[in-house]
Amino acid sequence: MTGSRDPCCDGRSATATVRAMTAESTDSWAGWYRDRLGAEAITLSAGGQQVRTHIRGVEYEGADFAVLEAVEAGGLLASCVMEWDIPLPVSSADAVQQATLSCLLTLGERAAEGPVGRAELSLTLHYGGAAYASGIAGGGFEEALGRIRRQLPDGTELGDRPLVGAS
């Protein structure tokens, strides 16, 4: 990692706080998928700068949670909700504490010209007795995470947990 700065993070380096995914590292998180047919438990995994999940026997993959597409012909993700939690260390001058990043992705109806429906991502970091929310972001995971970073107290940074879209 070099010291390149990410302007979305208000002077804090995304590369310093969130390491890039490599082919050798994979993280996974349990979550839920819900649509008009019901709900089911899913596992989301990230590795090699890709996110993956299986929903009702179909494998989905993409560069970010909001752009998952079927690997082979099959299901389309639209009119659904996915939610999952990511354990995440947060460091300050005093100590490193474990926090939880709660993620909620809503995909709207699929437009005829697009592979997925309108994506709305909401992240909430539960840390130190407070909740830091991204609000609804139409952009990617790193954009939403950047909104949270800007709210953290000075001297507080997200740990080096591998997250999607970091480079």
Side-chain angles (χ1 to χ4, degrees):
M1 297 279 144
T2 61
S4 65
R5 299 302 248 184
D6 184 345
C8 79
C9 300
D10 196 29
R12 296 180 185 149
S13 171
T15 57
T17 58
V18 182
R19 69 180 166 87
M21 295 301 305
T22 66
E24 295 82 33
S25 66
T26 301
D27 267 343
S28 61
W29 309 284
W32 287 95
Y33 170 85
R34 289 188 310 272
D35 64 11
R36 68 186 177 282
L37 300 176
E40 77 172 58
I42 60 170
T43 300
L44 294 136
S45 63
Q49 295 191 351
Q50 292 289 304
V51 179
R52 293 172 189 83
T53 191
H54 284 83
I55 301 169
R56 297 190 179 118
V58 177
E59 181 179 0
Y60 294 90
E61 185 175 286
D64 202 311
F65 296 102
V67 294
L68 291 170
E69 296 184 27
V71 173
E72 297 179 9
L76 298 171
L77 291 177
S79 301
C80 64
V81 174
M82 285 185 267
E83 53 187 320
W84 66 101
D85 289 336
I86 299 174
L88 188 67
V90 176
S91 61
S92 65
D94 300 336
V96 175
Q97 294 182 6
Q98 193 64 25
T100 300
L101 185 64
S102 296
C103 310
L104 175 65
L105 175 65
T106 303
L107 297 175
E109 284 295 321
R110 181 179 174 267
E113 66 279 353
V116 295
R118 175 182 159 84
E120 294 181 347
L121 177 65
S122 177
L123 303 179
T124 304
L125 180 70
H126 302 277
Y127 161 70
Y132 301 91
S134 68
I136 295 176
F141 188 81
E142 278 299 310
E143 178 184 331
L145 198 56
R147 291 180 182 185
I148 290 174
R149 281 189 185 100
R150 289 189 292 273
Q151 297 173 47
L152 293 174
D154 288 339
T156 304
E157 294 192 20
L158 300 178
D160 67 350
R161 193 80 179 149
L163 299 174
V164 174
S167 57

